[in-house]
Amino acid sequence: MGAFDAATDQMALNLRVGALNLLSNCAEAQVGERLLIAYEPEDHGYFDKNLRSDIGQAARELGLHVSAFNVGFEPMAECLGETLLSSMQHADIVLFLARLGDQFRFSTLPDGPRILVCFAQSSEMLASSFGTAHYNAFCEAKRAVDLRMMQAREITITCPAGTEVKGHVPDDIAKATDTSLIRFPMSVFSPVLAREFSGRVALGDFLTGTGVHYYESYTVEFCEPVFAYLERGRIAGFEGSARDVAKANAHYDRVSKTFGLDRNAVHSWHAGIHPGCGFHLDIRGAYEKWGGAAFGNPRVLHFHTCGAEPPGEISWNLFDPTIMVDGMALWENGTFCLDRLDEGPGILAQYPCAAAAFAQPDREVGFQDVN
């Protein structure tokens, strides 16, 4: 067997592991259940062409009844649509291989089926450690981080570009809240409300959308470094060149007016927890794909802004964060230190596949110049 054949066989094996991780560990699929794949046509360029058929094949091999529903792509989607909702009611599991699922991740969804959204955009991503590392390992990691954040007296966020933010979870919040559907892979902890956070955020040379609506000038790029100033969950202003600051303000004015949103509200923030979440395209040509996948990498922390409800319409993204929780670096220069949590060593021991991902993280986040 040649090297090419061996690599092809390994890819096929890893792809099956990733598909089973999605279907068995995440969706908890049982023989005879009905899987509805709600997809957007691959010619839109968001999901790669083989992913839907690869997952469908694995599902049939598991004994699932598989059907598909073309949901298209609606940049300004306001509802799921009656035909889709009717089809969902006849399914046990609904898997969105479509941005539509992500657009409604904080909305009320119909009872009955288990509804998932997939953040692996290609079969290659599904076959990587992002897709193959056991789903439950990252659910347990998420719960551990959520608990630690909720209990913290002080949380500070810094990054090499100059971010300096400090705060804590508001005292009147009893538990973490999250999306209304199931995410695969589990790649972020629950959003931390920004109401008690203040400081400055290095904006990573751009502003981009949050994946709820897709509109003209979805992303604004800056020529020089720009900082956003945050005062107890409100935007206090921007700092940078006059040209870039004017760009930022005009973007917020336009987007907030278009959607009738609280312009200066900063709702929440969270960082990636999945070291297998690599993004190997150049972000500059793929901001929409980047925003729907790369946020799971521990090198990326993002804020939800421009709107009092999650996730807002404009995302702040900073790179290589250090997150200090009561003096302990839980993230250090873009590395999620799961082993520093009390639960961490046990999680890593129980799930060697996750431990391997932490031992060999994928550091690609779409920029050659921030590796």
Side-chain angles (χ1 to χ4, degrees), residues 38-42 44-47 70-73 97-100:
Y39 72 96
E40 67 176 74
E42 289 79 8
H44 286 299
Y46 193 86
F47 287 94
N70 181 350
V71 301
F73 171 57
L97 298 181
R99 279 170 282 185
L100 184 66

Side-chain angles (χ1 to χ4, degrees), residues 27-60:
E28 300 180 346
Q30 303 297 315
V31 173
E33 287 193 315
R34 299 159 298 177
L35 169 66
L36 174 66
I37 300 178
Y39 72 96
E40 67 176 74
E42 289 79 8
D43 58 11
H44 286 299
Y46 193 86
F47 287 94
D48 285 3
K49 62 180 181 180
N50 295 325
L51 182 63
R52 174 162 51 100
S53 59
D54 287 336
I55 293 173
Q57 178 180 335
R60 292 183 183 94

